Each structure stands twice: as structure tokens, then as C-alpha cells.
Amino acid sequence: MTPGPRNLITDIAGLKVGQATHARIKSGVTAIICDAPAAAGVQVLGGAPGTRETDLLAPHNTVEAVDAIVLSGGSAFGLDAASGVQDWLAEQGRGFPVGPHRVPIVPSAILFDLINGGDKDWGDKSPYRALGTLAAQTAATEFAIGSHGAGAGALTADLKGGLGSASAELERTGITVGSLVAVNSLGTPMVGGTRHFWAAPFEQDGEFGDEGLPEPMPANATDLRIKFRDLVSDGAPVNTTIGVVATDAKLTKAQCKRLAIAAHDGLARAIWPAHTPFDGDCIFALATGRTEIGPNLDVFVDLCAAASATMARAVARGVYAAHEEPGDIMPVWSSRR
């Protein structure tokens, strides 16, 4: 597997990404816009999710494809962002046909960034619907990673979080796989407080510092480094890593769900711990079908492995890019553990 030309999820033909970042509230929205409706699936493995339209994506349910996926900060307030994207799509005449009407299908997930130091006093109406519309309006094949969009106010156990993305091309088939993720985890992407990412074995071309794994592995490598431990002790769900894995292969809804499940393996390889009761970890899967390749079981194994690897890389890239001087990563939230 080799990275695509941008090393972004937009290496998948038929996808664009738009973002809106609100500096004062330290939050934002990331919208993945499909040029044409794409098959989709989802898997939620965190114990505290915040989502919209996920039931629709079950393989046995009626609607086969979606128009966009939205990732947002803002906790439950951020679910309004999908309505903003839906407004924009409706203006374009996009959506599932129902008689004379079209209803844009926009599943979404949110992360908790309400206590990251931003000014959340936004009055009687949250800004997320407007941010969603702005994100859709700016959708393009190039976009920034790090402290942008849904990753603008994200935090991990001991570092800033952020928005990350990565892609890979499968050598045997030419199928492309890409991942996009907003990292706001309870746990840490780093090994035992070192400069080394848990995702290091999957790194391509020094994309997040080329540090490799520590040798020897530190004795505290698997010690739990927990964000907002006092709030967790009170049972507050104040975290979440949300993402999208996509491919240009032609997949069914059931295969998309399996791809989302596989991508969660990459999340677990990149964050320790993951999928906790206080994370809302959720991954969507999209298949644009642009290659017209419908993978057999052998190829589908390769596809699932690539989903896992690109997700792990995207997690590390998002955190790495969120620091102004990525070569000098310093813990900024250690006092909160």
C-alpha cells in the first residue's frame, strides 16, 4: 500500500471535504460531501455516542446511499451541523426522491469539546447549523488537517487532538482507501508519555515524525493516561473519536458496515485505551463505486486491512498536525489526568 497523491480522504474520486472553524468557541465542523450518492455504513463502539441517521445505515433498511457525512464538535448541540449541510444540499437539488420532494441524507456524529477553554456563551441559538452550511459551501479536494473543522477544539489525554486524514492505494487492484478522523479521545495516541505514536508501525514516508516505536518499550507503556479523570469518575461522557473511512470500490451497505468495523481496529491500534464507556467512538464508511470494482473475499480482506491502517495513520497525523511545531510535541493537558 502506498499513500495517494494528497494523502487525504479526497484521494477517493467523488469526495470533497469542507470545514468551518469558530476560533472563539474553539470548535468546528467537517463535512464530507459526495459528488453523487454513495453507499454507506456505520459502526459505533464507544459507550457515549452522539449521532444522527445511523439507524438508516443498517444493511436491512431502505435508503441505499447518502449525500454527505458530517463530523462536528459541540456535543449534542453539534448535531445541528448536519441540518446546515442538508440545507445546502437541498439548494443544489440533492437528496433522496420522495414524490415531488428531495430529502438530503446526511448522517452525522459529534464529539465533546464544551470544556476546552473556548467561549461557549453563544446565546439562545448554537452556531452549528450555520457552521454546517459554511463547511458544505467550502468543500474541495484540498483541506487542512490539525486544529481545523471538527478537530479545532479536540483534546487527548496529554496532547491537543485534531483532524487527521490518510490514504492508500492497493497494489493488486488499484483500489483507493482513505480515512478522516477527529481525535478527541479519553486515552492517548502516545506510548507511555514519549514522543512515539502507537500508530508508528503503519507510518508512511515520515508523515507523523518518523519516530518509530520506542526501544526498549517503556515500562509504563500501557499505564492508563486519562483525560479529565475527575469528570470521568463522576460518569461524565466528555470524549469521543469520530471518523469516516472511504473507498472508490463498489460495495454494498453490508460491506460498508464491515469496512467501518475494520477501521475501528485502526483506531484501537492508534489510541490507548479506545472504545471506553466515556468515548462515543463512531466510524462511518463510504463507497463511491467509481472504480466499478466489486471486491471478492480475497480483495475485501486487503480492503479491510487498508481501512484499519489508514485510520491509525489518520489519528496520528491529526494529533501531529495540531501542534504548531510538530517536531517538539509537548504534553499540554497532563495536569488534567
Side-chain angles (χ1 to χ4, degrees):
M1 293 183 288
T2 57
R6 302 181 188 88
N7 201 15
L8 298 171
I9 196 172
T10 47
D11 285 327
I12 310 302
L15 296 183
K16 294 182 176 65
V17 170
Q19 303 198 90
T21 302
H22 197 304
R24 180 174 58 83
I25 68 174
K26 294 187 179 179
S27 189
V29 173
T30 299
I32 302 90
I33 306 295
C34 308
D35 289 348
V42 67
Q43 182 70 12
V44 178
L45 291 181
T51 59
R52 164 175 161 162
E53 294 275 44
T54 50
D55 284 353
L56 171 146
L57 300 180
H60 60 275
N61 286 338
T62 301
V63 176
E64 291 291 334
V66 305
D67 299 294
I69 300 287
V70 175
L71 309 179
S72 179
S75 189
F77 297 104
L79 292 173
D80 282 346
S83 294
V85 174
Q86 190 177 51
D87 291 343
W88 182 84
L89 287 164
E91 289 179 357
Q92 315 307 308
R94 295 283 308 274
F96 184 75
V98 184
H101 306 287
R102 286 188 171 271
V103 181
I105 306 301
V106 187
S108 68
I110 50 85
L111 56 81
F112 184 96
D113 58 5
L114 296 182
I115 52 176
N116 63 2
D119 179 6
K120 304 305 191 295
D121 185 15
W122 50 59
D124 60 357
K125 185 181 296 185
S126 92
Y128 288 98
R129 186 167 189 149
L131 289 172
T133 299
L134 180 59
Q137 291 171 341
T138 62
T141 54
E142 297 287 347
F143 63 95
I145 62 174
S147 297
H148 300 274
L155 308 170
T156 74
D158 44 13
L159 295 169
K160 287 187 276 184
L163 188 87
S165 192
S167 70
E169 184 175 312
L170 305 189
E171 295 175 1
R172 289 201 296 162
T173 60
I175 290 172
T176 304
V177 180
S179 290
L180 175 75
V181 62
V183 186
N184 187 60
S185 55
L186 177 77
T188 178
M190 315 306 290
V191 180
T194 69
R195 298 165 58 91
H196 303 270
F197 284 93
W198 280 113
F202 303 98
E203 187 172 12
Q204 298 284 332
D205 302 329
E207 61 193 341
F208 43 87
D210 205 20
E211 296 283 349
L213 287 172
E215 188 178 347
M217 191 69 72
N220 69 341
T222 57
D223 287 356
L224 295 186
R225 304 169 67 82
I226 301 299
K227 182 177 71 181
F228 301 139
R229 185 178 284 279
D230 54 339
L231 294 177
V232 168
S233 299
D234 292 335
V238 291
N239 311 282
T240 290
T241 298
I242 50 179
V244 181
V245 62
T247 180
D248 53 7
K250 191 171 186 176
L251 303 183
T252 64
K253 285 177 71 178
Q255 288 172 322
C256 284
K257 183 172 182 67
R258 177 54 57 184
L259 197 68
I261 293 169
H264 270 288
D265 292 345
L267 194 157
R269 291 296 299 263
I271 299 169
W272 171 252
H275 304 140
T276 77
F278 304 103
D279 286 288
D281 297 343
C282 171
I283 296 177
F284 296 96
L286 290 171
T288 65
R290 288 297 186 93
T291 64
E292 289 295 324
I293 298 173
N296 57 35
L297 288 179
D298 178 38
V299 172
F300 196 56
V301 170
D302 292 353
L303 192 62
C304 288
S308 179
T310 57
M311 183 58 67
R313 291 166 49 211
V315 167
R317 290 194 76 208
V319 174
Y320 188 74
H323 294 77
E324 292 182 354
E325 300 294 335
D328 188 26
I329 292 177
M330 294 294 290
V332 294
W333 288 96
S334 56
S335 62
R336 300 275 188 168
R337 293 198 306 274

